[in-house]
Amino acid sequence: MITAFLEKSASIFMKHWQTLELPKILERLAAYASFSAGAEKARALTPSTDLAEIRERLATTTEARRILSLHPQTDLGGARDIRAIVEAARREAILSPPDLLDVAQTLQAARRLRQMLTRQEALFPRLAAMATRLEPCPDLVEAIERVLDERGEVRDDASPALARIRSELRVAHDRLITRLQRIISSPETAPFLQEPIITMREGRYVIPLKADFKGRLRGIVHDRSASGATLFIEPLSVVELGNTWRELQVAEEQEIRRILADLSARVAARSAAILETVDALADLDLAFAKARYADELDAVEPTMMDGDVRSAAQSAAGRRDRLRLLRARHPLLDPTTVVPIDVILDGETHVLVITGPNTGGKTVTLKTVGLLALMAQAGLHIPADGNSALPVFAAVYADIGDEQSIEQSLSTFSAHLTNILSFIHRADERSLVLLDELGAGTDPAEGSALARALLETFRQRGALTLVATHYPELKAYAQLTPGVCNACVEFDPETLRPTYRLTIGIPGRSNALAIARRLGLDEEIVRRAEALLSPQERQTEHLLADLHRLRLEAARARDEAYAARAEAQRLTEELRRRLARIDEERAAILEEARREAQEELERLRAEARALRQQWRRMSLAPSASQDLSGPPGLPPTIAEAEAELDRLAAEVAESFPVPEPLLPTGPLRPGDTVWVKSLRAVGELRALEDDEAEVQVGPLRVRVRAGELERRAPLTPAAEPSGVRYAPPTVPLRLDLRGQTVDEALENLDRYLDAAALAGLPWAHVVHGKGTGALRQAVRDFLRRHPLVRSYRSGEEGEGGDGVTVVVLSEEAERRL
């Protein structure tokens, strides 16, 4: 019962989808699929009515477009629709080598695609989720490749038995050919032969014998020529060799059959995984086909809303729109000639009455709205501009075209009305109803009244209804009824051609008299026709003419305002670029000056360090006149020079501060450095999708709302001028001098203290041992006079006692170096 109801509902929807030409769209989509399973899914695609599913479908198409733009080579190369092959294997059929190669190549394509997509899961999570369904079955692929070569031939080493049989087969074949070659080369046999060649008949090697010499060479006749002059005979002397060769051929065929049967059984054993892989490949193929078709249409991902009018989208002007299509184009029309239309209906509009001349684009407008709604709900991007928004319709009903039925004895009017009656009670606030020439085909007065009654019914039921009509009464109905709006397709009376542009808010004009006058009808006749119009009709035409004139003036003013704003934006952007270039040049000049000053300071510091090192070596050298009671001080000139260099360095730092990096403008992009408010941390933006962002914060990747992110300066380490600071070397905290002479120990100690100061060590342990105490005393005398040493002490219990001296380095030791 339920199944029958669902099938009936599906057939009703299919009829309307056919009217709106959705199958043609799906057929074009299927042409972009890489293999038949994907094309099959494309043709079977149906619009969804679940908002979450629709958004997921559209986001998957967006992901596929993005990956194809980044990696154009992405495809399903080598994949085949192997479902029939797998089903045959499940029925215990023996698969042929080409079929097995198709299985292997399909599984290899699945493996490549799975590896590529899962590696980029952060960027393409939906495609990666599809890829996780791919089961490459590497053991099966390896087994097939071990048996078959790239040409689909069974390898000699596919099994030990096959290797042995083929080896014997080659030997038997060589013996057979050698014996036959001797026979045709023998002088005794040559006169009896038609030609000295070896040929084959019915799987046996034979030689061509002249029929006149039939008894001269004993053998088995396998065939004769059409003229009867030649007999193809197998000499008795090679029959046994031929039998051996044929037996080995049969054995080879049996062994190959056994090997292929084993592989087929393996395919059958993995059939569930293979069928799931083919299905996942078909889903990926469908996503890539949607992406390629969207690129071909120059389409966009629309914003999808709940079908209820209360969830209408917020427009740029702050108005709540129920439907918003900007520069929408019918996807089946020539993109070079199709005229885009804007269809914007606010949340209060339930019915749109479109009027205008024939061939003006009314029907195309209806089909464009309906078809784009179905495409979006099927997960296809739509040919329109960004910021387009559509509600999710539970059903789309269309009464468009000539419904006349000779078989059912229905007139055009009856056929249209029968079609409308099939869905009038189904339509509700989640339905889209498209009606072309409502009420046509009968008496105009009754048809107009019926049309108004039907529209009022749809309006009361809340269905979003678009109707194309010629009835002037419907214009008045739209003007006077809440929730109903007029629209018109424009017509140029000068060229007598429609412009195909849709204007919402103004009813269409008949233009009949203007067209007649333009075509050359006698002016007297035109004036007589005008006189026959009622005063109300003439006044209406004048009002419509004024409305069109005012609309054109408003449109012209709007275009001028848009142009002025665009020019202002261009000038602003140009000024911003100029200022940015000036800032960049200024920053480059300041950076160059700062670098030169730092280099000059560093050169002077190096000279001061060299003098200080030279003075220290002189002060540490033993001398009779030297006072060893305390460390010597630096000469006043060196100390003054270092103080002056410190002052100059401070002035350089103050005069040439390191500039803050300029923040890029525009929307956030992957790779930007951002501040995550909720985590109070800085990270790198890895992916941005809708309102969700993926950010790398240290070793972690987190997903947060895009509204929580603020752009920050890139986290690059501050570059230091060359030579200003060296990378600190790795220095141990312990220096062992035991076993060294006093001179060796002091030289090593001096080098160690320099390295420890450069590394920024606060203290160090010098191990000299106890012994006679001579080395300990020499070390401590050296430390007492060393300018980098603030103090020293004997090691405590647990540190080595008197065998160790603990050295505390000066806090300014690193700066002094």
Side-chain angles (χ1 to χ4, degrees):
M1 195 84 177
I2 295 176
T3 304
F5 174 76
L6 292 176
E7 289 178 354
K8 183 178 179 181
S9 299
S11 65
I12 292 174
F13 291 149
M14 283 295 295
K15 176 180 182 298
H16 298 287
W17 297 346
Q18 186 80 31
T19 300
L20 294 171
E21 301 179 290
L22 180 63
K24 291 184 180 180
I25 294 295
L26 299 182
E27 194 61 42
R28 292 194 178 189
L29 174 65
Y32 288 91
S34 298
F35 75 134
S36 58
E40 182 180 310
K41 279 187 176 284
R43 296 187 183 97
L45 192 62
T46 58
S48 172
T49 57
D50 181 78
L51 178 60
E53 181 184 355
I54 293 169
R55 287 175 174 170
E56 189 71 13
R57 287 182 176 187
L58 290 170
T60 300
T61 304
T62 299
E63 276 190 17
R65 293 184 73 177
R66 191 161 66 243
I67 197 172
L68 289 179
S69 67
L70 295 174
H71 309 286
Q73 74 281 3
T74 303
D75 59 14
L76 279 70
R80 302 286 187 275
D81 186 0
I82 56 175
R83 289 174 296 181
I85 296 173
V86 175
E87 289 298 335
R90 293 173 74 169
R91 295 194 301 270
E92 299 184 358
I94 297 178
L95 302 180
S96 66
D99 288 344
L100 290 167
L101 275 185
D102 283 347
V103 171
Q105 290 170 359
T106 300
L107 294 176
Q108 288 170 335
R111 181 185 62 196
R112 289 192 299 269
L113 204 56
R114 178 185 175 112
Q115 289 174 348
M116 187 195 76
L117 292 176
T118 52
R119 280 199 304 264
Q120 303 184 74
E121 182 179 3
L123 292 175
F124 313 108
R126 293 171 181 83
L127 296 177
M130 290 185 188
T132 58
R133 294 166 46 206
L134 299 173
E135 292 289 343
C137 304
D139 54 333
L140 178 59
V141 174
E142 182 182 356
I144 294 174
E145 290 180 338
R146 190 170 58 247
V147 169
L148 302 176
D149 61 19
E150 61 276 2
R151 298 188 303 275
E153 297 177 359
V154 179
R155 300 179 186 273
D156 290 352
D157 56 355
S159 73
L162 183 63
R164 176 184 56 77
I165 291 171
R166 284 188 171 174
S167 176
E168 295 175 359
L169 188 62
R170 283 190 288 271
V171 172
H173 182 267
D174 290 344
R175 288 177 178 172
L176 175 60
I177 294 300
T178 301
R179 181 69 62 84
L180 286 170
Q181 195 67 42
R182 279 198 207 127
I183 292 173
I184 64 175
S185 302
S186 170
E188 298 176 356
T189 308
F192 309 145
L193 301 180
Q194 198 70 261
E195 290 181 85
I197 60 172
I198 302 170
T199 185
M200 184 172 282
R201 290 291 187 278
E202 298 180 357
R204 308 287 293 196
Y205 280 112
V206 295
I207 56 179
L209 181 71
K210 295 177 182 178
D212 296 340
F213 299 99
K214 178 179 179 181
R216 299 295 183 92
L217 183 64
R218 300 185 61 188
I220 301 172
V221 177
H222 288 281
D223 196 7
R224 72 172 56 237
S225 66
S227 64
T230 304
L231 301 176
F232 295 96
I233 186 170
E234 181 182 14
L236 288 179
S237 59
V238 300
V239 169
E240 189 61 32
L241 291 176
N243 290 342
T244 302
W245 178 63
R246 184 59 189 155
E247 288 171 3
L248 288 171
Q249 282 183 310
V250 172
E252 179 191 30
E253 292 171 359
Q254 291 175 343
E255 179 61 15
I256 289 175
R257 183 178 177 84
R258 185 195 67 77
I259 293 170
L260 296 180
D262 178 65
L263 286 179
S264 301
R266 290 194 179 197
V267 171
R270 303 300 300 274
S271 59
I274 296 173
L275 291 175
E276 175 63 17
T277 294
V278 173
D279 189 64
L281 283 172
D283 285 338
L284 287 167
D285 192 25
L286 176 59
F288 293 141
K290 288 179 180 179
R292 296 187 185 99
Y293 189 35
D295 288 341
E296 178 68 23
L297 293 177
D298 192 20
V300 299
E301 178 183 352
T303 300
M304 299 304 298
M305 311 171 290
D306 190 279
D308 195 329
V309 68
R310 290 169 295 183
S311 62
Q314 184 78 25
S315 72
R319 185 182 64 245
R320 303 291 288 180
D321 291 336
R322 188 177 186 182
L323 179 144
R324 184 171 63 246
L325 289 175
L326 305 177
R327 295 185 60 78
R329 308 173 299 279
H330 195 290
L332 296 178
L333 297 180
D334 185 350
T336 61
T337 59
V338 64
V339 177
I341 59 172
D342 293 341
V343 184
I344 304 173
L345 302 179
D346 60 34
E348 302 300 322
T349 300
H350 298 283
V351 179
L352 184 68
V353 178
I354 306 173
T355 52
N358 287 325
T359 70
K362 298 190 300 296
T363 303
V364 171
T365 297
L366 298 181
K367 286 190 172 183
T368 300
V369 174
L371 184 55
L372 266 54
L374 294 176
M375 288 176 63
Q377 292 182 211
L380 296 171
H381 288 185
I382 62 173
D385 278 7
N387 203 31
S388 292
L390 286 164
V392 176
F393 296 109
V396 178
Y397 302 112
D399 181 60
I400 299 174
D402 187 3
E403 297 289 342
Q404 187 175 17
S405 174
I406 297 176
E407 293 180 0
Q408 299 180 19
S409 300
L410 295 177
S411 67
T412 300
F413 172 76
S414 300
H416 278 290
L417 188 58
T418 301
N419 186 30
I420 293 172
L421 289 175
S422 69
F423 61 78
I424 190 170
H425 297 296
R426 298 171 179 265
D428 56 20
E429 67 278 357
R430 296 182 63 85
S431 301
L432 174 64
V433 178
L434 306 169
L435 306 170
D436 190 23
E437 300 297 345
L438 181 61
T442 187
D443 178 76
E446 293 184 354
S448 171
L450 182 60
R452 278 179 288 171
L454 289 172
L455 288 182
E456 185 63 18
T457 301
F458 287 122
R459 185 185 73 86
Q460 291 176 356
R461 298 182 68 88
L464 183 59
T465 306
L466 278 69
V467 57
T469 182
H470 285 286
Y471 288 132
E473 292 83 358
L474 292 186
K475 301 177 188 178
Y477 165 76
Q479 200 69 29
L480 300 174
T481 307
V484 185
C485 184
N486 268 309
C488 69
V489 287
E490 297 179 0
F491 187 88
D492 189 344
E494 295 297 324
T495 62
L496 302 182
R497 293 180 180 275
T499 65
Y500 303 107
R501 294 187 178 91
L502 179 71
T503 303
I504 295 178
I506 301 177
R509 302 169 59 193
S510 65
N511 293 300
L513 298 180
I515 294 173
R517 182 177 281 115
R518 180 71 176 173
L519 290 175
L521 184 63
D522 189 272
E523 184 64 25
E524 181 62 29
I525 299 175
V526 175
R527 282 199 297 269
R528 189 178 303 153
E530 289 176 340
L532 292 174
L533 292 173
S534 67
Q536 293 83 0
E537 289 173 334
R538 285 198 297 270
Q539 184 177 9
T540 300
E541 283 298 313
H542 290 319
L543 287 174
L544 288 177
D546 290 341
L547 282 174
H548 279 279
R549 179 179 54 79
L550 292 173
R551 186 193 63 78
L552 290 174
E553 292 176 358
R556 191 178 302 112
R558 180 195 60 198
D559 292 343
E560 291 175 357
Y562 284 163
R565 185 172 64 181
E567 179 65 14
Q569 290 176 345
R570 187 190 66 79
L571 293 175
T572 301
E573 186 62 28
E574 178 64 23
L575 181 59
R576 185 180 293 113
R577 284 197 296 268
R578 289 183 182 180
L579 290 175
R581 284 197 298 270
I582 292 172
D583 287 342
E584 289 173 2
E585 293 173 0
R586 175 179 172 275
I589 292 172
L590 291 176
E591 177 61 22
E592 179 65 18
R594 187 176 70 86
R595 185 185 61 78
E596 291 179 357
Q598 291 283 13
E599 288 179 355
E600 183 62 23
L601 283 172
E602 177 53 27
R603 187 183 62 77
L604 295 173
R605 284 184 185 278
E607 292 180 4
R609 272 200 305 274
L611 290 173
R612 179 158 37 81
Q613 292 279 11
Q614 183 179 358
W615 176 260
R616 189 180 63 190
R617 284 194 296 271
M618 292 174 59
S619 65
L620 293 178
S623 172
S625 61
Q626 189 178 58
D627 181 8
L628 299 180
S629 61
L634 287 173
T637 53
I638 297 179
E640 290 172 0
E642 288 185 335
E644 182 64 16
L645 288 174
D646 290 341
R647 187 184 64 77
L648 290 174
E651 289 185 5
V652 169
E654 183 178 353
S655 301
F656 304 104
V658 178
E660 291 290 331
L662 295 175
L663 294 180
T665 59
L668 289 172
R669 295 182 178 87
D672 287 349
T673 301
V674 293
W675 171 259
V676 186
K677 298 176 185 176
S678 58
L679 301 178
R680 300 186 63 80
V682 175
E684 180 184 349
L685 181 61
R686 303 304 299 271
L688 184 62
E689 186 174 321
D690 296 333
D691 192 41
E692 280 197 354
E694 182 171 313
V695 183
Q696 183 84 34
V697 180
L700 303 178
R701 284 193 181 183
V702 296
R703 294 189 75 86
V704 297
R705 290 188 303 104
E708 295 185 16
L709 304 181
E710 290 181 358
R711 181 182 275 112
R712 291 294 172 88
L715 295 175
T716 55
E720 296 179 349
S722 177
V724 170
R725 185 176 297 276
Y726 299 95
T730 302
V731 179
L733 292 173
R734 188 179 182 89
L735 175 66
D736 194 343
L737 300 176
R738 288 176 295 183
Q740 300 179 15
T741 65
V742 171
D743 291 340
E744 292 173 345
L746 295 181
E747 183 177 353
N748 289 336
L749 178 58
D750 187 32
R751 284 199 297 268
Y752 174 77
L753 292 174
D754 286 345
L758 283 173
L761 297 183
W763 47 267
H765 287 184
V766 179
V767 182
H768 40 64
K770 297 178 181 178
T772 61
L775 181 57
R776 177 182 60 205
Q777 187 60 41
V779 165
R780 292 181 178 177
D781 289 342
F782 182 84
L783 294 175
R784 187 169 63 252
R785 299 191 301 270
H786 203 286
L788 301 180
V789 176
R790 187 173 68 180
S791 63
Y792 61 87
R793 61 175 175 81
S794 295
E796 297 178 353
E797 194 68 29
E799 290 181 327
D802 281 342
V804 174
T805 297
V806 180
V807 181
V808 179
L809 296 174
S810 171
E811 293 180 356
E812 299 184 355
E814 186 181 4
R815 185 187 65 79
R816 295 180 65 182
L817 284 175

PDB file of all heavy atoms in Angstrom, residues 50-57:
ATOM      1  N   ASP A  50      15.529  17.171   1.874  1.00  0.00           N
ATOM      2  CA  ASP A  50      16.112  17.331   3.203  1.00  0.00           C
ATOM      3  C   ASP A  50      17.186  18.415   3.154  1.00  0.00           C
ATOM      4  O   ASP A  50      18.155  18.297   2.383  1.00  0.00           O
ATOM      5  CB  ASP A  50      16.710  16.003   3.680  1.00  0.00           C
ATOM      6  CG  ASP A  50      17.304  16.118   5.069  1.00  0.00           C
ATOM      7  OD1 ASP A  50      16.537  16.118   6.051  1.00  0.00           O
ATOM      8  OD2 ASP A  50      18.534  16.247   5.172  1.00  0.00           O
ATOM      9  N   LEU A  51      17.027  19.458   3.941  1.00  0.00           N
ATOM     10  CA  LEU A  51      17.931  20.604   3.878  1.00  0.00           C
ATOM     11  C   LEU A  51      19.370  20.205   4.165  1.00  0.00           C
ATOM     12  O   LEU A  51      20.293  20.620   3.453  1.00  0.00           O
ATOM     13  CB  LEU A  51      17.469  21.685   4.865  1.00  0.00           C
ATOM     14  CG  LEU A  51      18.340  22.943   4.947  1.00  0.00           C
ATOM     15  CD1 LEU A  51      18.415  23.645   3.595  1.00  0.00           C
ATOM     16  CD2 LEU A  51      17.793  23.893   6.006  1.00  0.00           C
ATOM     17  N   ALA A  52      19.592  19.390   5.201  1.00  0.00           N
ATOM     18  CA  ALA A  52      20.960  18.988   5.558  1.00  0.00           C
ATOM     19  C   ALA A  52      21.598  18.183   4.430  1.00  0.00           C
ATOM     20  O   ALA A  52      22.777  18.382   4.093  1.00  0.00           O
ATOM     21  CB  ALA A  52      20.942  18.176   6.853  1.00  0.00           C
ATOM     22  N   GLU A  53      20.832  17.286   3.829  1.00  0.00           N
ATOM     23  CA  GLU A  53      21.375  16.471   2.737  1.00  0.00           C
ATOM     24  C   GLU A  53      21.710  17.341   1.525  1.00  0.00           C
ATOM     25  O   GLU A  53      22.742  17.144   0.869  1.00  0.00           O
ATOM     26  CB  GLU A  53      20.370  15.390   2.345  1.00  0.00           C
ATOM     27  CG  GLU A  53      20.875  14.485   1.224  1.00  0.00           C
ATOM     28  CD  GLU A  53      19.842  13.472   0.781  1.00  0.00           C
ATOM     29  OE1 GLU A  53      18.756  13.411   1.413  1.00  0.00           O
ATOM     30  OE2 GLU A  53      20.097  12.754  -0.208  1.00  0.00           O
ATOM     31  N   ILE A  54      20.846  18.308   1.229  1.00  0.00           N
ATOM     32  CA  ILE A  54      21.096  19.188   0.083  1.00  0.00           C
ATOM     33  C   ILE A  54      22.363  19.996   0.309  1.00  0.00           C
ATOM     34  O   ILE A  54      23.211  20.123  -0.590  1.00  0.00           O
ATOM     35  CB  ILE A  54      19.890  20.117  -0.143  1.00  0.00           C
ATOM     36  CG1 ILE A  54      18.674  19.307  -0.577  1.00  0.00           C
ATOM     37  CG2 ILE A  54      20.202  21.188  -1.183  1.00  0.00           C
ATOM     38  CD1 ILE A  54      17.383  20.081  -0.570  1.00  0.00           C
ATOM     39  N   ARG A  55      22.509  20.559   1.488  1.00  0.00           N
ATOM     40  CA  ARG A  55      23.725  21.323   1.777  1.00  0.00           C
ATOM     41  C   ARG A  55      24.968  20.444   1.701  1.00  0.00           C
ATOM     42  O   ARG A  55      26.026  20.887   1.227  1.00  0.00           O
ATOM     43  CB  ARG A  55      23.604  21.962   3.162  1.00  0.00           C
ATOM     44  CG  ARG A  55      22.631  23.143   3.202  1.00  0.00           C
ATOM     45  CD  ARG A  55      22.455  23.677   4.605  1.00  0.00           C
ATOM     46  NE  ARG A  55      21.637  24.901   4.610  1.00  0.00           N
ATOM     47  CZ  ARG A  55      21.168  25.483   5.707  1.00  0.00           C
ATOM     48  NH1 ARG A  55      21.431  24.949   6.903  1.00  0.00           N
ATOM     49  NH2 ARG A  55      20.448  26.585   5.626  1.00  0.00           N
ATOM     50  N   GLU A  56      24.846  19.204   2.150  1.00  0.00           N
ATOM     51  CA  GLU A  56      25.984  18.286   2.066  1.00  0.00           C
ATOM     52  C   GLU A  56      26.314  17.986   0.610  1.00  0.00           C
ATOM     53  O   GLU A  56      27.487  17.949   0.218  1.00  0.00           O
ATOM     54  CB  GLU A  56      25.644  16.997   2.816  1.00  0.00           C
ATOM     55  CG  GLU A  56      26.815  16.050   2.996  1.00  0.00           C
ATOM     56  CD  GLU A  56      27.841  16.550   3.987  1.00  0.00           C
ATOM     57  OE1 GLU A  56      27.539  17.517   4.726  1.00  0.00           O
ATOM     58  OE2 GLU A  56      28.949  15.995   4.016  1.00  0.00           O
ATOM     59  N   ARG A  57      25.296  17.786  -0.206  1.00  0.00           N
ATOM     60  CA  ARG A  57      25.533  17.529  -1.629  1.00  0.00           C
ATOM     61  C   ARG A  57      26.236  18.718  -2.289  1.00  0.00           C
ATOM     62  O   ARG A  57      27.202  18.549  -3.048  1.00  0.00           O
ATOM     63  CB  ARG A  57      24.203  17.281  -2.348  1.00  0.00           C
ATOM     64  CG  ARG A  57      23.532  15.943  -2.056  1.00  0.00           C
ATOM     65  CD  ARG A  57      22.249  15.836  -2.872  1.00  0.00           C
ATOM     66  NE  ARG A  57      21.586  14.549  -2.729  1.00  0.00           N
ATOM     67  CZ  ARG A  57      20.521  14.186  -3.448  1.00  0.00           C
ATOM     68  NH1 ARG A  57      20.016  15.022  -4.330  1.00  0.00           N
ATOM     69  NH2 ARG A  57      19.971  13.016  -3.279  1.00  0.00           N
TER      70      ARG A  57
END
